[in-house]
């Protein structure tokens, strides 16, 4: 979702800046502007004194300005915090038995889990992503199945072999997984 929000915000900001810059450039080059446009000549300022002080004496003006600015600041803070969050788990805490623990790179565990799953019957391609906390990771597995694979058998092999092996090797009590399966696109078999 964050990727979509980033793209939409960047696209809207770019579009607004492009339109404003284009109209200011066109006005500066002498192109006629509509009568309602605030900037209509080469020597004109963007906001005149009358435009800037127009609503200052109204009772609703300052509360609305402060509310809009507060919402913009909160949205900017939300966006900044969302940028710093990682979508992937960088490391997994493994109990080494000595009370200290060891750190296992999250990508290494993802790669091993994907490679062990790709060799299973009926599995064409696998993508694994670890999320959650380093003490309680969660796996998101996307499997691309061969055209005539049985999804139930592939899921059973994934949970019994790959996920069980990853859980025991990392010393985890639980390794919950969300599995999404999709079949390779293929032509239908002809029956004669």
């Amino acid at each position: 979702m964050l990727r979509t929000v980033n793209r939409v915000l960047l696209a809207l900001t770019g579009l607004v800046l492009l339109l404003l810059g284009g109209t200011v450039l066109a006005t500066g080059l002498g192109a006629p502007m509509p009568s309602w446009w605030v900037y209509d000549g080469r020597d004109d300022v963007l906001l005149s004194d009358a435009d800037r002080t127009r609503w200052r004496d109204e009772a609703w003006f300052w509360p609305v300005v402060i509310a809009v600015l507060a919402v913009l600041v909160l949205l900017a803070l939300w966006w900044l915090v969302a940028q710093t969050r990682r979508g992937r788990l960088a490391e997994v805490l493994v109990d080494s038995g000595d009370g200290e623990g060891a750190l296992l790179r999250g990508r290494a565990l993802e790669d091993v889990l994907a490679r062990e799953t790709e060799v299973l019957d009926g599995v064409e391609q696998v993508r694994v992503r670890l999320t959650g906390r380093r003490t309680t990771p969660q796996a998101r597995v996307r499997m691309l199945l061969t055209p005539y694979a049985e999804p139930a058998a592939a899921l059973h092999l994934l949970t019994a072999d790959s996920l069980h092996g990853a859980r025991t090797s990392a010393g985890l009590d639980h390794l919950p997984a969300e599995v999404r399966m999709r079949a390779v696109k293929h032509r239908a078999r002809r029956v004669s």
Side-chain angles (χ1 to χ4, degrees):
M1 178 178 148
L2 184 61
R3 185 180 303 163
T4 306
V5 170
N6 282 343
R7 288 180 180 168
V8 168
L9 284 177
L10 283 174
L12 287 176
T13 304
L15 184 65
V16 167
L17 290 175
L18 184 68
L19 289 175
L20 284 175
T23 56
V24 168
L25 180 63
T27 304
L29 293 175
M33 286 291 142
S35 61
W36 53 266
W37 188 247
V38 294
Y39 185 74
D40 59 2
R42 285 183 176 191
D43 299 324
D44 196 12
V45 292
L46 191 58
L47 289 174
S48 66
D49 288 335
D51 288 334
R52 283 186 286 124
T53 58
R54 181 178 184 179
W55 303 105
R56 190 177 284 175
D57 294 332
E58 297 294 328
W60 58 267
F61 180 74
W62 288 114
V64 168
V65 167
I66 291 171
V68 167
L69 291 176
V71 167
L72 288 175
V73 166
L74 289 175
L75 285 173
L77 287 174
W78 169 80
W79 181 77
L80 181 66
V81 169
Q83 297 304 313
T84 59
R85 276 189 291 165
R86 291 186 179 194
R88 283 196 137 108
L89 190 61
E91 52 195 24
V92 177
L93 185 62
V94 178
D95 185 17
S96 59
D98 60 359
E100 294 278 327
L103 293 177
L104 173 65
R105 282 189 27 228
R107 293 235 185 200
L109 187 57
E110 289 173 354
D111 290 344
V112 168
L113 191 53
R115 285 190 189 123
E116 285 184 2
T117 306
E118 280 180 347
V119 298
L120 298 176
D121 256 353
V123 178
E124 178 95 10
Q125 183 182 15
V126 178
R127 289 188 182 151
V128 179
R129 185 173 177 180
L130 291 177
T131 59
R133 300 179 189 268
R134 65 185 198 167
T135 54
T136 56
Q138 300 170 355
R140 290 186 181 171
V141 182
R142 290 182 181 225
M143 296 172 61
L144 187 62
L145 302 177
T146 57
Y148 306 106
E150 295 180 26
L155 181 62
H156 175 70
L157 288 173
L158 170 72
T159 55
D161 293 345
S162 303
L163 286 173
H164 178 71
R167 187 179 71 239
T168 54
S169 66
L172 300 170
D173 294 332
H174 304 286
L175 182 58
E178 174 186 322
V179 181
R180 293 186 181 196
M181 292 185 226
R182 197 168 50 96
V184 174
K185 292 185 179 183
H186 64 284
R187 296 180 63 160
R189 279 194 286 188
R190 293 190 177 240
V191 179
S192 55

